[in-house]
């Protein structure tokens, strides 16, 4: 009060800094999540899955299996590719993970010479914030060059953009195909040609010489700038010197197509835009879209937005701001109804923006973004941050109403409630501390939420004890009719008038009845608790809920071994269906190989993936069902999986483990059991189908006589089938591989393979003369988890009750008798949900313990602390009831809401018991102190509870529809819990207090006379 002007000045500075922080915050849908995962990708072209596993995957697994902090690792061995994903403990430094894995991989000595493993880490910031498709423009290679020179630099220069990458381009290669007859006639072997190509185009320094007084460097060799330079390469054979063009065909052209991408039915190139650390998704979206017309003119092609998180982020932020604004308005209306004073309402309402601005400053300094979690925390905090100010101002107003001198009234009022509001706020904040120790995805996801709401609450405490008293001094006055009347007389008159209020008279009857019928009240409370247990069993449960994405993903899986051309034809059938759907704004299909990296999906020529972007307002669930029905009617088009476009999987997984002899049978049993479960659909497994595989084995004596080894056959077959990359040159400013092939076309039959020429010391022989060529069925993919052979059976829950689906799956699996040596384990969303629920329940236990410590420190009484803690279970009554009524699943957000309630409900109880203790210290008997305390605290308790409830109503109703998976369920739980806990706090806490404390109080009086004047206590 002495430094009111300084307080005002500091408040102005805070407002300015808070406004700046709000405008400087980047906008995202979710916080950046650094997944504790590292991927190791190793290409081994031409190798079968079995060879990849034995020669690449197993050595890599052995190298990393004992790294510190490693929780699990999964490997997939495919044709020519090994992918290893290592999961570490959450909280492990990304740099430390990557460094440890890279060091371990570098020490592997027994990998094939052509295998070079790549180590990658990633976070959600590595996922594209926008994906563009460029269609038209004629030649794809020319178009790619235009994009690289005219589009990428413009997009890369936009504020907040980290990287722009092009996909779908076809590499250019220089192919050298020797003519066997001419090469043999010139005395040249394939190996000699390869050696000459490898040394071509290289330059070497030979020192320097002094010429005319100057040092001149000497360089040997020339660079290659054109295909003709390769054609004119001189070779030395046993028959003399010849040029390469005389014994081989040399041409530059497109590399073999291994993937196809189309957008809206047209061949396309992709542009993936990732966001910088300080970038904002909505700002990037606006800037990119503004540049598109000029960019289309520059490249002469159409540029379509395939995916864009910007609008969703903008709508989510705007929606939560609207709901927060509506909540603030409703909270203010509640204050107006109770205080009935524009000045008092204005003073109280100041605490909301001030606390939020302080919270925004902290969010900005901690480098958080404005996302659904932090903004949801601020929106939810709107109803709570006004509580302390309500209690403080209500008490100030009461003292002023008693006719006391203004400064003394304010100081006395603040002093009387400062301990209560401080302890109650610390109690609320304390419940969020355990979230910092919750591991896994939930801990990473909700840590910014917890920090934001905790800071907002602490800010509200600071505002209520500093700014509110200063504003009250300037804006509030003592009643005009208090002049000329003694303070004591005027106070008694006001107190008598207060007791005549309708609300107080009603509550007096209720609390008097409850105190005199304590056993009945307790019995009723126990019935409610039993009912709560019953309601908990009837609730649906889920993990994170619906992220309200407006996109759909479809995966089309054809039989193993299907070539890219056949997959392309099957994809065309799907495109006809998708292209004819009215609410599909754009779609993209990709088939074939995909790149590496942490978020890369392992796919092949038999898989096609679709991304559908729907129009705003589309019913995504209905469209998914429609798609399933239409796609299911297609014939010879493979199997389909339809799901939402969000990045978090909601699938239930069953991981089956066993050796090769039992794994197939066990997987088929599990898959068959899940197919009969009505609560799930799209049951599939990654059990690798068998596809034809050609095996070649040397014939002992003939091969030895000819000097042919496995290495010889590998070189010849590689050169004949896919070609060997022997060098790299720059032609026309574009880097191109030089590929040596022994035939213009790859062999297409066993007979063609047997007829391949094999050069030997005694002449050319056919491969069939020195080796046996046979065809057999072999797996196309081999998967291992922690070194054990596994198959994952996946199913998608029907509806939003993941718990019921998990229960049904578990029941179906319990009836199985798997072969000896086989076992299964539930994973996927079932495992994630179970682990997260367990962690949050543990967090609730810790929160209760922290609340216990805070309350004991305040009241210095374990007995009274236990009375306060009794109010906690009754918060579940209303919370579970409202979840049941609104058909909202109990998920992570709901449990966070229950965690909040632990602090909220104890807050009201602390304020009530603190005043009761003050009355008792002034000599009132227990029952009388309880009733008087209840009457005095009735209005502030109702005000704070109703302000919170009404502030959350817009969010619970989902008025804007942009609350995401966090806001609505959390608001529903808090509203329901507040209603039940507030009612029971005003009744049950007084009853328990009288039961416990009256035994120790020599003055018992259960039913005081309402008209009796009470000793004033100034509260």
């Amino acid at each position: 009060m002495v430094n009111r002007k300084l307080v005002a000045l500091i408040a102005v500075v805070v407002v300015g800094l808070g406004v700046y922080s709000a405008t400087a915050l980047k906008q995202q849908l979710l916080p950046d999540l650094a997944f504790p995962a590292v991927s190791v990708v190793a290409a081994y072209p031409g190798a079968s899955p079995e060879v990849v596993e034995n020669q690449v995957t197993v050595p890599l697994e052995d190298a990393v299996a004992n790294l510190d902090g490693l929780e699990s690792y999964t490997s997939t061995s495919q044709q020519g590719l090994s992918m290893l994903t290592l999961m570490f403990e959450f909280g492990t430094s990304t740099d430390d993970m990557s460094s440890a894995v890279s060091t371990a991989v570098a020490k592997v000595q027994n990998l094939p010479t052509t295998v070079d493993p790549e180590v990658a880490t990633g976070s959600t910031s590595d996922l594209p914030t926008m994906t563009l498709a460029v269609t038209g423009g004629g030649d794809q290679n020319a178009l790619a060059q235009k994009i690289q020179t005219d589009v990428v630099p413009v997009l890369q220069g936009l504020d907040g953009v980290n990287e722009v990458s092009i996909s779908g381009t076809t590499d250019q290669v220089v192919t050298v195909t020797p003519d066997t007859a001419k090469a043999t006639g010139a005395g040249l072997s394939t190996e000699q040609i390869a050696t000459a190509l490898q040394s071509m185009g290289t330059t070497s320094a030979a020192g320097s010489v002094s010429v005319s007084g100057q040092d001149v460097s000497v360089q040997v060799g020339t660079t290659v700038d054109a295909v003709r330079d390769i054609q004119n390469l001189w070779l030395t054979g046993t028959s003399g010197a010849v040029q390469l063009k005389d014994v081989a065909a040399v041409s530059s052209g497109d590399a073999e197509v291994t993937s196809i991408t189309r957008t809206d039915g047209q061949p396309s190139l992709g542009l993936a835009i990732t966001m910088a650390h300080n970038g904002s998704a909505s700002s990037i979206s606006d800037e990119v879209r503004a540049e598109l017309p000029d960019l289309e003119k520059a490249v002469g092609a159409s540029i379509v937005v395939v995916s864009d998180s910007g609008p969703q982020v903008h709508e989510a932020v705007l929606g939560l701001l609207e709901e927060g604004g509506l909540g603030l308005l409703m909270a203010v209306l509640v204050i107006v109804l109770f205080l009935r004073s524009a000045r008092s309402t204005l003073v109280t309402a100041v605490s909301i923006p001030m606390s939020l601005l302080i919270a925004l400053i902290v969010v900005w300094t901690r480098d958080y973004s404005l996302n659904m979690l932090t903004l949801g925390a601020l929106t939810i905090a709107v109803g709570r941050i006004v509580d302390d100010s309500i209690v403080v101002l209500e008490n100030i107003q009461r003292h002023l109403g008693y006719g006391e001198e203004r400064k003394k009234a304010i100081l006395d009022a603040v002093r009387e409630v400062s301990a209560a509001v401080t302890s109650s706020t610390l109690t609320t904040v304390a419940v969020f501390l355990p979230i910092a120790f919750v591991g896994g995805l939930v801990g990473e996801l909700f840590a910014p939420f917890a920090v934001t709401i905790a800071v907002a609450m602490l800010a509200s405490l600071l505002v209520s004890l500093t700014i509110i008293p200063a504003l009250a001094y300037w804006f509030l006055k003592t009643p005009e009719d208090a002049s000329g009347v003694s303070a004591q007389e005027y106070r008694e008159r006001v107190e008598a008038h207060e007791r005549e209020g309708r609300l107080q008279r009603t509550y007096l009857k209720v609390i008097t009845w409850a105190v005199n019928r304590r056993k009945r009240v307790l019995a009723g409370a126990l019935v409610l608790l039993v009912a709560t247990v019953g309601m908990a069993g009837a609730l649906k449960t889920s993990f994170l809920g619906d992220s309200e994405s407006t996109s759909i993903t479809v995966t089309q899986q054809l039989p193993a071994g299907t070539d890219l051309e056949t997959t392309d034809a099957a994809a065309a059938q799907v495109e006809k269906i998708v292209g004819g759907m009215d609410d599909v704004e754009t779609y993209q299909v990709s088939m074939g190989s995909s790149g590496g990296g942490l978020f890369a999906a392992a796919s092949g020529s038999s898989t096609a993936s679709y991304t559908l972007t729907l129009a705003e307002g589309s019913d995504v669930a209905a469209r998914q069902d429609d798609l399933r029905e239409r796609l299911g009617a297609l014939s010879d088009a493979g199997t389909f999986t339809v799901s939402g476009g969000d990045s978090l999987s909601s699938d239930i997984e069953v991981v089956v483990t066993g050796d090769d002899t039992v794994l197939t049978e066990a997987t088929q049993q599990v898959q068959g059991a899940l197919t009969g479960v009505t609560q799930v659909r799209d049951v599939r497994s990654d059990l690798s189908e068998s596809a034809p595989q050609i095996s070649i084995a040397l014939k002992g004596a003939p091969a030895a006589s000819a000097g042919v080894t496995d290495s010889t056959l590998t070189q010849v077959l590689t050169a004949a089938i896919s070609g060997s990359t022997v060098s790299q040159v720059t032609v026309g400013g574009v880097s191109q591989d030089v590929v040596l092939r022994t035939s213009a076309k790859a062999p297409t039959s066993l007979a063609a393979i047997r007829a391949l020429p094999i050069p030997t010391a005694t002449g050319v022989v056919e491969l069939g003369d020195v080796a046996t060529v046979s065809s057999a069925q072999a797996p196309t993919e081999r998967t291992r988890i922690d070194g054990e052979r596994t198959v994952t059976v996946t199913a998608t829950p029907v509806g939003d009750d993941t718990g019921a689906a998990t229960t049904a799956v578990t029941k179906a699996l319990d009836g199985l008798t798997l072969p000896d040596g086989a076992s299964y384990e539930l994973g996927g969303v079932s495992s994630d949900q179970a682990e997260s629920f367990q962690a949050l329940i543990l967090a609730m236990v810790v929160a209760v313990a922290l609340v216990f410590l805070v309350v004991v420190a305040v009241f210095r009484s374990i007995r009274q602390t236990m009375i306060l803690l009794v109010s906690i279970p009754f918060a579940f009554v209303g919370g579970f009831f409202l979840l049941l009524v609104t058909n909202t699943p109990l998920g992570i957000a709901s449990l966070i809401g229950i965690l909040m309630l632990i602090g909220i409900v104890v807050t009201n109880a602390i304020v009530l018991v603190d005043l009761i203790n003050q009355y008792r210290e002034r000599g009132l008997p227990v029952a009388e102190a309880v009733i008087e305390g209840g009457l005095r605290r009735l209005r502030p308790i109702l005000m704070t509870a109703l302000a919170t409830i009404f502030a959350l109503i817009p969010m619970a109703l989902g008025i804007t529809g942009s609350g995401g998976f966090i806001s609505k369920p959390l608001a529903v739980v808090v509203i329901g819990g507040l209603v039940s806990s507030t009612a029971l706090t005003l009744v049950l806490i007084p009853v328990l207090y009288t039961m416990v404390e009256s035994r120790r109080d020599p003055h018992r009086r259960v039913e005081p006379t309402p008209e009796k004047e009470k000793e004033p206590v100034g509260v």
Side-chain angles (χ1 to χ4, degrees), residues 176-180 183 190 193 247-249 740-743:
V176 179
T177 308
D179 185 309
T180 305
T190 304
I193 296 175
V247 295
L740 179 64
R741 301 182 64 112
T742 55
S743 60

Side-chain angles (χ1 to χ4, degrees), residues 498-511:
E498 287 178 350
R499 294 173 64 85
E500 294 301 318
R502 181 180 301 175
L503 189 61
Q504 281 74 11
R505 292 201 310 269
T506 303
Y507 178 65
L508 179 61
K509 295 178 181 178
V510 172
I511 194 173

Side-chain angles (χ1 to χ4, degrees), residues 618-644:
S618 299
D619 188 335
V620 179
R623 184 52 61 212
Q624 289 184 35
D625 293 337
D626 184 27
L627 261 178
R628 290 188 183 96
E629 183 178 350
R630 295 193 189 190
L631 296 177
L634 294 177
S635 59
D636 300 327
T639 58
F640 297 92
T641 302
V642 181
S643 59

Side-chain angles (χ1 to χ4, degrees), residues 396-634:
I396 291 175
Q397 191 181 49
R398 183 185 298 276
H399 275 261
L400 290 173
Y402 290 157
E404 299 177 10
E405 188 271 327
R406 184 187 305 178
K407 184 174 182 180
K408 179 178 181 301
I410 293 175
L411 290 175
D412 290 346
V414 173
R415 188 180 301 113
E416 288 166 0
V417 296
S418 59
V421 296
T422 300
S423 58
S424 62
T425 300
L426 293 178
T427 299
T428 305
V429 171
V431 302
F432 290 103
L433 291 179
I435 293 183
F437 303 99
V438 173
L441 176 63
V442 173
E444 288 287 312
L445 199 59
F446 283 92
F449 174 89
V451 170
T452 302
I453 201 167
V455 170
M457 293 299 299
L458 291 174
S460 72
L461 174 64
L462 179 65
V463 170
S464 67
L465 297 179
T466 56
I467 297 177
I468 296 301
L471 292 176
Y473 183 85
W474 285 323
F475 289 98
L476 301 187
K477 301 177 181 179
T478 56
E480 295 180 359
D481 59 352
S483 58
V485 184
S486 67
Q488 181 65 25
E489 178 184 350
Y490 191 81
R491 176 172 182 161
E492 291 175 356
R493 185 193 309 172
V494 171
E495 287 182 341
H497 177 72
E498 287 178 350
R499 294 173 64 85
E500 294 301 318
R502 181 180 301 175
L503 189 61
Q504 281 74 11
R505 292 201 310 269
T506 303
Y507 178 65
L508 179 61
K509 295 178 181 178
V510 172
I511 194 173
T512 303
W513 180 90
V515 168
N516 283 282
R517 295 164 180 81
R518 292 174 293 190
K519 292 183 179 180
R520 293 186 185 181
V521 173
L522 287 179
L526 290 175
V527 170
L528 285 177
L529 286 180
V530 173
T532 303
V533 175
M535 287 189 290
L539 287 173
K540 297 188 295 184
T541 60
S542 68
F543 183 42
L544 288 175
D546 182 14
S547 66
E548 300 177 352
S549 172
T550 58
S551 63
I552 296 175
T553 59
V554 180
T555 302
Q556 181 182 17
Q557 183 66 56
L558 281 86
T562 303
D563 59 26
L564 191 59
E565 184 179 355
T566 305
T567 303
D568 187 21
Q573 299 183 56
V574 179
E575 289 180 279
K576 289 181 180 179
I577 293 175
V578 173
M581 298 170 66
D582 294 336
D583 49 358
V584 175
E585 288 190 340
T586 184
Y587 70 88
Q588 187 175 73
V589 56
S590 301
M591 63 201 86
S593 60
S594 64
L598 185 62
F599 298 104
S603 61
S605 61
S606 61
T607 303
S609 300
Y610 304 80
T611 300
L612 284 63
T613 302
L614 305 184
E616 287 297 326
S618 299
D619 188 335
V620 179
R623 184 52 61 212
Q624 289 184 35
D625 293 337
D626 184 27
L627 261 178
R628 290 188 183 96
E629 183 178 350
R630 295 193 189 190
L631 296 177
L634 294 177

